[in-house]
Amino acid sequence: MGLLLRGVLVRAAAIGLATGARSTSAATALVLTAMPTDPAPLDRLATVPAKIAAGVAAAGELVVDKLPVAPPRSDPPGLVPRLLLAPVAAAAADRRDGARPDRWTALNALVATAAAAASAVGGVHLRAALQRRLGSDLPGAVAEDVLAGVLARVGGRREPGPGVTARARGYAE
């Protein structure tokens, strides 16, 4: 596998890991980096109302996650949206950067889904371990927020490398 394609797969993994931690994080990053010149229908995300809605959704999730009534993300109501949003976000990032749907898009979607599952389940265990060690859930929750934001930023970057461009032009990797 070429170095260029690995960059695209790393982006898909970052999207999945971010989505597993905070379900709206990668999608929000894609909305916030959307431009009117993006291919349809992604160009519609470049509007001010779309960016405000994405920001509000992400902020809401950050707040709700800290509440004791928040359902565990490893249970179906928390896990299913993450497993659905991660591949959609990975495919959208591919499309946004000019790649045609192909077997690599499918691989990116699978990588993002697997990473989201691992992040959702693993995050619950790591956060619980931090809570036992520190006596509070808040430090682990905030650390998770920061990590999800960094991963979403990596996953939402516009140019992961020439790999997507090469795929869009039909070159084999």
Side-chain angles (χ1 to χ4, degrees):
M1 176 179 1
L3 180 63
L4 304 175
L5 187 55
R6 266 186 293 219
V8 176
L9 291 174
V10 166
R11 178 176 71 179
I15 286 171
L17 291 168
T19 303
R22 297 289 175 268
S23 62
T24 58
S25 60
T28 298
L30 291 174
V31 172
L32 294 179
T33 60
M35 298 171 61
T37 55
D38 288 344
L42 300 171
D43 58 340
R44 295 186 195 132
L45 300 176
T47 65
V48 171
K51 292 178 187 290
I52 290 171
V56 168
E61 184 177 11
L62 292 177
V63 170
V64 170
D65 175 69
K66 314 298 179 290
L67 300 176
V69 296
R73 76 187 92 157
S74 55
D75 288 353
L79 187 59
V80 169
R82 288 167 165 77
L83 298 181
L84 295 175
L85 284 170
V88 169
D94 248 13
R95 173 76 178 119
R96 179 199 64 193
D97 290 339
R100 295 184 309 259
D102 59 13
R103 68 180 188 266
W104 298 113
T105 303
L107 179 60
N108 287 340
L110 287 172
V111 166
T113 304
S119 176
V121 173
V124 168
H125 293 294
L126 287 172
R127 193 160 150 184
L130 277 174
Q131 181 178 9
R132 284 190 301 274
R133 181 157 179 100
L134 302 174
S136 172
D137 182 55
L138 191 58
V142 171
E144 209 170 32
D145 292 342
V146 171
L147 184 57
V150 169
L151 289 165
R153 173 77 173 115
V154 169
R157 70 186 188 276
R158 292 200 65 81
E159 300 276 344
V164 171
T165 304
R167 284 178 45 219
R169 293 182 182 149
Y171 300 124
E173 293 277 351

